[in-house]
Amino acid sequence: MNKSKRPFTKSKRSFRRRLPPIQSGDRIEYRNMSLISRFISEQGKILSRRVNRVTLKQQRLITIAIKQARILSLLPFLNNQKQFER
């Protein structure tokens, strides 16, 4: 019954906190291409919230902005380079 427990030791490894990808002054809009393009993969897919490290509200706004930019032909729906090489 009496199990020997190791005392809790704090990890010695220090880590630097990542800066948030979206600053407070940034507007999440379809026109802000420099911001939106950070959240798209090389294939043209919208990256997940875990990968982006953004809040749920920010992710929703990013998704809407990307979709609007695609409809207005500011962003491609697909980014397949293999199709165009032939």
Side-chain angles (χ1 to χ4, degrees):
M1 294 283 284
N2 237 353
K3 292 182 181 178
S4 62
K5 291 184 181 179
R6 278 188 274 158
F8 176 75
T9 56
K10 200 170 185 182
S11 158
K12 299 252 193 274
R13 189 172 51 133
S14 66
F15 66 95
R16 202 172 56 130
R17 194 156 184 199
R18 278 185 153 193
L19 292 171
I22 300 174
Q23 274 69 39
S24 58
D26 288 338
R27 301 257 315 158
I28 304 172
E29 294 181 323
Y30 66 91
R31 288 176 274 173
N32 195 349
M33 295 304 295
S34 59
L35 179 73
I36 288 176
S37 57
R38 283 191 255 158
F39 303 106
I40 299 176
S41 69
E42 288 182 16
Q43 291 85 27
K45 294 180 180 178
I46 301 171
L47 294 172
S48 70
R49 205 180 129 214
R50 258 191 353 217
V51 175
N52 289 339
R53 302 256 176 141
V54 293
T55 63
L56 181 62
K57 192 174 183 179
Q58 287 173 335
Q59 181 68 22
R60 282 199 202 112
L61 290 171
I62 289 165
T63 304
I64 290 166
I66 290 170
K67 288 178 180 180
Q68 285 175 341
R70 284 176 176 168
I71 290 167
L72 294 169
S73 304
L74 299 173
L75 282 175
F77 280 91
L78 292 172
N79 197 6
N80 291 340
Q81 295 296 325
K82 292 176 185 175
Q83 284 180 335
F84 303 112
E85 286 178 2
R86 288 185 179 179

